[in-house]
Amino acid sequence: MRQALAMLLPLTLVLVACQREERDTRPQSALGSGEQPTPVTALEPGGQRPSASDNKAASFEANAFHLSEGKRLFGWFNCSGCHANGGGGMGPALMDEKWLYGSSIESIHATIRDGRPNGMPSFRQKIPDDQIWELAAFVRALSGNAPSSAAPQRNDDMMVHPSENRLPDAATLGKSP
Amino acid sequence: MRRLAFMALAPFCVLLLQGCAGWQSALDPKGPAADELAWLIWFFTALCAVVWVLVMIALAAPLVMRSRPGDEPLLLDAGAERRKMRVVVTAVGLTAIILIGLTLLSFFANRTLAAIGSEAVLTIKVTGHQWWWELRYEDATPSRILTTANEIHIPAGEPVRLLLTSTDVIHSFWIPSLAGKLDLIPGHMNVLDIKADKPGVYRGQCAEFCGAQHANMGTFIIAEPRPKFDAWLNDQLQPAGAPASGEAKAGADLFLKRPCVMCHRIGGTPAGGTVAPDLTHIASRKTLAAGTLTMSRGNLAAWIADPQGIKPGSHMPVADLNGDELNAIVAYLEGLK
């Protein structure tokens, strides 16, 4: 009996490992349309600060599927045209610690949806709301704000040097065969 | 009881045999490459069946014909031993000859396959995407390069060269009625030469598991007589026609304002996305979403309204359109013949 129980425990653990996060590929209507205005500043007449949180933020922020979808869309929609893979070019860098409009996912979502002065265009209606959230989550992950278990990896072609198994053999390097 | 079991099995056998014919079957070859492969598989199967029967007989014989033990069981008859040795050596020799023979047959079949494309009249670059096929008809004149998706028109009776590659994961291109399967590998170009002997429609399928919608990654080869193919190619090279009705015109405007424009291209309009299927002549194709749905107004609307219900996990997102917008866009796309 005790043996059977002892065997059951690892089996349960193995089965638990099968549990992966859900992939919501359809918009979840329960989370709202994402059309609520996002405050651009914390200053408010009368001193009452509007809440900056959105129902959708939590379900996108640390979700590996949404983060990887965001990475794919970042390439597809040519964000690199201005932000250069997050390093910054004509547009500001996205992988540093500086956030002109706040580091929360809601602010990044508002930036993509409504645009910002000096160049950032508005993608309202051009990108479905869920896809904007995916992009915002990925942009946040670029500067290490997402758990490493969920954040997508950097592409192979962007590594500073080839992976170790592709490097020339150190022993024979520089010597003629 | 046994009769009942047989009667229960019979329909399955009929179904199995039916699977051998039709527009997607390696056992129903419609081109020289598939002919060669079908002949090879039948020959291999027949020869191996004969060898299998002989081996079974050789195994069963000693069980049936039990020899009586002699007076001295330990005494070996030198003559009988030598005979047995000869049988074993002959069998080993025959095995070697058969194996080498089959290898040579495969080798010569491969040479025949390789020879098909030596005089290819047309080169098509096939790029695998999750989960559709991008096609680029190469031409020396840049203005005659055609980009389309999922439906491969080729001239019948003429060899065509396909250059296979992929942008995301490994896919495999397989038109069982015309040729063997070959992988599409990211960062690598594979070459597959095909030829369809007669005009017809042959179905193909991705044959390497490539993700959630691998099963819905179909393609069609449409082999047509030369004049019909040339006419098709010239039609496809034209930019998209102007929207005919007021509703279609509204749809054309909406297409450019809503998410469609972010990924899709329609020739002759500002829509220039290259990451999703080219829609310039979408209504001229027979299916939608890589063979998932047949082309019709209803299916087009269904696909745009709920791609994630029809093909969950596909990269086509649910665009936030209301009923009127959806109808207008469908009216526009439906007119893109």
Side-chain angles (χ1 to χ4, degrees):
Chain A
M1 184 63 196
R2 188 170 291 176
Q3 262 187 338
L5 273 177
M7 277 175 71
L8 206 63
L9 183 72
L11 197 70
T12 321
L13 283 177
V14 165
L15 283 176
V16 165
C18 298
Q19 173 65 38
R20 287 280 295 169
E21 61 194 11
E22 293 293 318
R23 292 186 168 193
D24 292 327
T25 55
R26 270 164 158 169
Q28 300 295 302
S29 50
L31 294 176
S33 66
E35 281 302 301
Q36 52 262 58
T38 303
V40 189
T41 166
L43 297 173
E44 188 76 3
Q48 193 196 12
R49 290 179 180 188
S51 154
S53 72
D54 191 289
N55 291 337
K56 282 192 172 179
S59 61
F60 281 82
E61 211 161 6
N63 181 304
F65 173 66
H66 287 315
L67 283 166
S68 74
E69 289 291 286
K71 180 182 172 182
R72 178 173 61 76
L73 294 173
F74 192 91
W76 277 21
F77 295 160
N78 196 25
C79 304
S80 295
C82 297
H83 297 285
N85 287 314
M90 191 168 26
L94 304 175
M95 49 202 286
D96 58 8
E97 283 177 13
K98 288 185 200 140
W99 296 96
L100 298 177
Y101 299 101
S103 66
S104 73
I105 186 171
E106 289 90 350
S107 308
I108 301 169
H109 172 265
T111 302
I112 299 171
R113 188 185 65 191
D114 302 333
R116 297 286 188 190
N118 291 331
M120 178 72 191
S122 159
F123 289 94
R124 179 188 287 276
Q125 296 206 326
K126 282 270 174 69
I127 306 179
D129 192 55
D130 274 28
Q131 276 61 39
I132 298 185
W133 281 108
E134 285 171 344
L135 277 166
F138 172 67
V139 167
R140 236 175 93 72
L142 275 175
S143 46
N145 284 312
S148 61
S149 58
Q153 287 188 324
R154 179 186 286 195
N155 284 349
D156 282 355
D157 60 337
M158 286 173 38
M159 294 293 175
V160 283
H161 64 73
S163 54
E164 242 166 68
N165 56 353
R166 289 189 174 197
L167 281 176
D169 185 2
T172 56
L173 195 63
K175 294 176 195 148
S176 55
Chain B
M1 187 63 207
R2 187 176 288 179
R3 217 171 124 181
L4 207 71
F6 180 76
M7 275 167 69
L9 272 176
F12 288 107
C13 296
V14 173
L15 276 180
L16 269 179
L17 283 175
Q18 266 186 344
C20 299
W23 64 358
Q24 183 179 324
S25 171
L27 300 177
D28 187 16
K30 301 284 190 207
D35 276 339
E36 196 70 25
L37 293 172
W39 178 84
L40 208 59
I41 189 70
W42 282 124
F43 185 79
F44 267 61
T45 310
L47 190 64
C48 291
V50 169
V51 170
W52 182 77
V53 168
L54 288 179
V55 169
M56 284 299 131
I57 290 173
L59 273 176
L63 296 177
V64 178
M65 304 182 297
R66 208 169 279 173
S67 60
R68 266 180 299 133
D71 302 336
E72 281 287 351
L74 292 180
L75 191 70
L76 293 176
D77 175 3
E81 283 295 301
R82 219 174 293 131
R83 251 178 287 134
K84 283 178 189 163
M85 178 60 100
R86 239 176 267 139
V87 169
V88 169
V89 168
T90 315
V92 168
L94 270 176
T95 307
I97 289 172
I98 289 176
L99 284 180
I100 292 171
L102 291 181
T103 311
L104 281 176
L105 278 180
S106 304
F107 172 74
F108 285 113
N110 246 334
R111 282 176 66 95
T112 316
L113 296 192
I116 292 170
S118 56
E119 284 160 13
V121 292
L122 179 68
T123 303
I124 307 171
K125 190 178 167 200
V126 180
T127 309
H129 296 271
Q130 283 176 324
W131 289 275
W132 60 283
W133 310 88
E134 180 186 344
L135 311 169
R136 198 177 121 112
Y137 286 69
E138 304 286 5
D139 199 293
T141 319
S143 65
R144 290 194 57 83
I145 293 176
L146 167 69
T147 306
T148 176
N150 298 334
E151 214 174 272
I152 311 173
H153 287 247
I154 58 169
E158 295 177 47
V160 175
R161 170 154 289 188
L162 303 177
L163 306 175
L164 309 176
T165 188
S166 164
T167 53
D168 35 42
V169 299
I170 299 180
H171 303 277
S172 188
F173 184 83
W174 193 26
I175 311 281
S177 309
L178 295 183
K181 62 182 93 156
L182 194 61
D183 280 5
L184 294 86
I185 302 167
H188 177 83
M189 191 87 84
N190 272 337
V191 181
L192 178 70
D193 299 316
I194 59 166
K195 185 175 157 188
D197 287 333
K198 288 195 192 95
V201 180
Y202 310 108
R203 194 180 184 280
Q205 171 70 35
C206 179
E208 176 78 40
F209 181 69
C210 58
Q213 291 302 327
H214 163 64
N216 284 328
M217 187 169 167
T219 179
F220 291 91
I221 291 233
I222 298 176
E224 296 165 321
R226 198 24 120 154
K228 215 174 154 196
F229 170 77
D230 284 338
W232 172 85
L233 190 62
N234 284 328
D235 276 353
Q236 296 282 312
L237 284 166
Q238 301 303 316
S245 65
E247 192 184 29
K249 204 163 166 2
D253 286 343
L254 279 167
F255 190 94
L256 298 177
K257 284 184 190 148
R258 306 310 297 272
C260 323
V261 71
M262 296 297 287
C263 300
H264 291 284
R265 174 179 174 272
I266 292 183
T269 75
T274 54
V275 293
D278 189 299
L279 304 182
T280 310
H281 297 283
I282 183 178
S284 73
R285 303 207 273 265
K286 288 179 176 58
T287 63
L288 269 171
T292 310
L293 300 169
T294 50
M295 177 65 67
S296 72
R297 189 183 170 113
N299 281 343
L300 203 51
W303 173 243
I304 298 170
D306 190 15
Q308 297 302 328
I310 292 163
K311 217 168 160 176
S314 75
H315 292 327
M316 170 110 167
V318 178
D320 203 13
L321 301 169
N322 66 35
D324 289 341
E325 291 171 331
L326 178 66
N327 274 334
I329 288 178
V330 169
Y332 173 53
L333 292 178
E334 196 187 27
L336 298 178
K337 296 271 188 212

